[in-house]
Amino acid sequence: MFTIRRFTRAACAALIAASACVATTATATAATVEVHVTGVAAGKGKVSVAVCDREHYLKDCAYHATAPAQAGDNVIKVASVPAGTWAVLVFQDKNENGKLDQTLFGIPLEDYGFSRDARGHFGAPSFEDAAIEVKADPTVANVKIK
């Protein structure tokens, strides 16, 4: 027999199952990008990492993380990055002012690097040269700063 109580229970069970499915899907499509940074001058400021999509590359990246600069391999984790194509930008913020210091001509005064060790000839490398695919958790990006 169909009752309001039975309908309510069935509807609640369906909503709970749908919520679990959505939560599982959301978790499966986001990953932690684990950035391994080498070339860091120990004890000088912080290492700043940004993970950017094509649209925001070299502008205002959506995902950021910082950590104190240490000698050796610095591992900085950027959480909840959606699956897709991204570029990783890293710089050592030696004076901890929150930005990559540059000369009047735009030449960086602090060490920096990009994913896939991409380097530009007269400026930053293209998004394509620095692009990595974020799929699995964690996705590892190696960056050497110079």
Side-chain angles (χ1 to χ4, degrees):
M1 178 175 176
F2 180 77
T3 65
I4 296 294
R5 181 177 282 173
R6 187 176 285 168
F7 174 76
T8 304
R9 285 185 192 155
C12 286
L15 284 173
I16 290 169
S19 297
C21 184
V22 169
T24 302
T25 303
T27 302
T29 59
T32 297
V33 177
E34 201 172 271
V35 184
H36 293 248
V37 184
T38 57
V40 176
K44 292 187 178 180
K46 295 185 176 189
V47 177
S48 294
V49 174
V51 180
C52 309
D53 61 7
R54 179 185 306 277
E55 181 182 347
H56 298 98
Y57 181 63
L58 301 176
K59 299 174 190 160
D60 189 23
C61 302
Y63 301 93
H64 304 270
T66 60
Q70 301 175 17
D73 192 18
N74 288 247
V75 179
I76 297 128
K77 296 179 181 183
V78 183
S80 303
V81 178
T85 305
W86 299 86
V88 178
L89 296 73
V90 178
F91 74 97
Q92 185 170 357
D93 189 6
K94 293 179 182 175
N95 59 2
E96 298 187 45
N97 66 352
K99 63 182 183 176
L100 177 63
D101 295 326
Q102 302 175 6
T103 67
L104 292 174
F105 300 107
I107 298 168
L109 294 171
E110 295 174 306
D111 295 337
Y112 67 96
F114 294 85
S115 44
R116 297 179 53 200
D117 285 332
R119 289 279 174 198
H121 298 289
F122 294 102
S126 69
F127 178 83
E128 290 76 19
D129 288 345
I132 62 168
E133 287 298 318
V134 174
K135 295 179 185 176
D137 193 20
T139 296
V140 175
N142 296 307
V143 178
K144 182 176 184 173
I145 62 172
K146 298 179 185 175

